[in-house]
Amino acid sequence: MIEQPVFVLGRDLQALEPAGFESEADFQELLARHPRVLEFGSLVDGRPLRLVLVAREMQVPTSPESGAAYWLDHLFVDADGVPTLVEVKRATDTRIRREVVGQMLDYAANAARYWPAALLQRSFEETCLQDGRSPEEAYADLLGGDRAAEDFWSAVEERLAAGQMRLLFVADRIPLELRAIVEFLNRQLRQTEVYAVELAQYRNGGDLRVIVPRVHGEVATAAKSPSGRRSVRRTTREDMEAVIRTRPDPEVRRAATALLDHAAAHGRPEGGTARYRSMSGYYTVSGRRVPVWSLSLQDGPPRDDLSFAFGSIAYHLGRDRAAAFADLLPPVPELAARLESLPAKDYNAWPSVSLAALAAEPGAVEDVLSAIQRLVDGP
């Protein structure tokens, strides 16, 4: 293909010649400052799509206890709460052909499991402050002042769990191999939209730059209207009890029921949207609605886990309160080692313990409930 210039017609005719990006960092900075170049399509209500940066180099863990295993180039979100994951490569990077696809699918799969609402909210607000903008102003632009920030990020977390997200491969030139993969993924994925965005740059001899976006994949996703997405169904208490009744160990059944009863009496149990049955315990602590734990009941093979939302606790209540809560939890061997690693991770982790291990330790379930109540009651 012969590279042709772009002409700007004013008083005189100016020719802008094709020019690559000087570095990948330069490319990434362009997207962070000017997400408009990635905006195409519309929101559910017909408004134009507008993307807001949540974070650059967003950490992606691969387990509830691990730190960042990967780093996503950019995470954006729109006013409907649909997350947009962006990976940037220059055409000179050979990974743009196939390796980047596996990389992106890794990011999406683990983000859906390990990006809780509190982490997303904190990342967004930290990005606002780094850019010299107050979070209040950013929320006013994003939400219009009629929606609570916590509710919005909970909706983003639900979208992730349901697989409702956009995956954008961005490059200065999209190879045919990547275009073919994007079109294939769009035909196969029902909830997730996949695009390859080519951003061609043209420059004159001075400061004038022209960015020309070309979007690949929009034809394949034309049938993916919001009404065609899988409806999100929350797990109910009845759903949880139906699974609990199938567990043969009476102590496991007792532990699961005690957790749900405590949240119902002292906080608010909220069902998850994953394919397996799950509920989280939310409690009002110091005037904040804080997710404290999550109970997951999975089949094939059966696995029942209780996770503690230390990332959310530390964000809402501070590191000292999170540390005090960790000290109150019972020293069940499976859990103890994970709790010991929390200070090194600055309490930004979600350690878990199986219900079987918890139920096997006399008094451990009661100790967990007492620790939760002490956290709720305050110092």
Side-chain angles (χ1 to χ4, degrees):
M1 183 178 67
I2 299 175
E3 292 280 8
Q4 290 291 103
V6 169
F7 296 98
V8 177
L9 182 59
R11 290 186 176 181
D12 300 308
L13 187 67
Q14 285 191 69
L16 279 69
E17 299 292 340
F21 291 89
E22 293 181 3
S23 66
E24 193 167 300
D26 177 47
F27 205 166
Q28 293 181 0
E29 184 67 19
L30 168 71
L31 302 184
R33 292 192 174 278
H34 305 288
R36 288 291 304 275
V37 299
L38 300 177
E39 294 171 354
F40 49 90
S42 60
L43 302 177
V44 172
D45 60 5
R47 287 178 294 157
L49 175 69
R50 292 290 180 267
L51 295 177
V52 176
L53 181 65
V54 177
R56 280 188 62 178
E57 298 295 326
M58 181 70 180
Q59 60 177 310
V60 184
T62 54
S63 75
E65 296 82 27
S66 73
Y70 307 113
W71 299 91
L72 174 72
D73 285 340
H74 299 81
L75 174 64
F76 296 94
V77 71
D78 65 31
D80 281 344
V82 177
T84 298
L85 285 65
V86 176
E87 191 64 15
V88 180
K89 292 287 185 290
R90 290 189 295 164
T92 54
D93 190 334
T94 57
R95 293 174 297 171
I96 188 61
R97 299 185 182 276
R98 291 186 181 88
E99 185 179 331
V100 70
V101 176
Q103 190 179 37
M104 177 68 92
L105 294 178
D106 251 347
Y107 296 163
N110 287 289
R113 299 186 67 181
Y114 304 121
W115 278 353
L119 173 64
L120 297 169
Q121 181 175 356
R122 182 179 65 197
S123 299
F124 172 72
E125 293 174 359
E126 288 177 351
T127 297
C128 290
L129 294 173
Q130 290 167 6
D131 291 343
R133 189 182 189 198
S134 73
E136 292 76 13
E137 178 188 353
Y139 280 127
D141 290 343
L142 177 62
L143 307 178
D146 57 354
R147 191 175 184 186
E150 289 78 9
D151 293 340
F152 173 76
W153 294 112
S154 293
V156 177
E157 181 182 0
E158 292 169 12
R159 295 236 188 234
L160 282 167
Q164 295 180 2
M165 62 183 89
R166 298 183 196 90
L167 309 181
L168 301 188
F169 301 96
V170 181
D172 49 354
R173 179 172 295 170
I174 301 295
L176 289 174
E177 297 95 326
L178 181 57
R179 289 174 59 179
I181 294 171
V182 164
E183 291 169 2
F184 173 79
L185 289 174
N186 267 326
R187 288 194 297 269
Q188 303 303 319
L189 299 177
R190 299 184 60 188
Q191 308 296 324
T192 304
E193 298 176 0
V194 188
Y195 300 95
V197 182
E198 184 174 278
L199 294 179
Q201 179 176 238
Y202 298 83
R203 307 190 74 154
N204 66 356
D207 296 331
L208 183 60
R209 302 168 67 186
V210 171
I211 308 296
V212 181
R214 297 184 182 95
V215 181
H216 303 283
E218 72 276 19
V219 175
T221 57
K224 293 187 183 182
S225 64
S227 59
R229 292 179 173 140
R230 177 175 67 89
S231 59
V232 176
R233 180 184 180 277
R234 287 187 179 277
T235 298
T236 65
R237 177 67 186 264
E238 290 72 22
D239 294 331
M240 296 291 282
E241 289 175 347
V243 179
I244 291 169
R245 286 194 294 269
T246 68
R247 300 315 193 227
D249 187 341
E251 289 302 307
V252 168
R253 297 197 300 268
R254 184 182 72 84
T257 301
L259 285 160
L260 297 174
D261 286 346
H262 187 275
H266 303 281
R268 178 183 171 186
E270 188 166 305
T273 56
R275 296 186 183 277
Y276 53 84
R277 301 298 183 231
S278 66
M279 294 197 89
S280 298
Y282 283 75
Y283 297 84
T284 300
V285 187
S286 300
R288 291 173 173 257
R289 183 170 171 265
V290 182
V292 174
W293 55 260
S294 180
L295 178 62
S296 303
L297 308 178
Q298 303 187 46
D299 290 314
R303 179 171 177 81
D304 308 319
D305 288 323
L306 174 65
S307 300
F308 296 99
F310 274 92
S312 298
I313 294 168
Y315 172 74
H316 287 289
L317 304 177
R319 189 178 183 278
D320 290 344
R321 295 282 291 277
F325 179 58
D327 290 341
L328 292 170
L329 290 173
V332 177
E334 185 181 309
L335 179 61
R338 294 167 180 171
L339 295 177
E340 288 173 3
S341 68
L342 286 173
K345 299 174 182 177
D346 203 27
Y347 292 86
N348 188 24
W350 289 260
S352 64
V353 60
S354 67
L355 281 191
L358 191 67
E361 294 287 330
V365 174
E366 287 69 26
D367 288 344
V368 168
L369 298 178
S370 174
I372 295 170
Q373 195 60 51
R374 290 275 297 276
L375 176 70
V376 173
D377 291 341

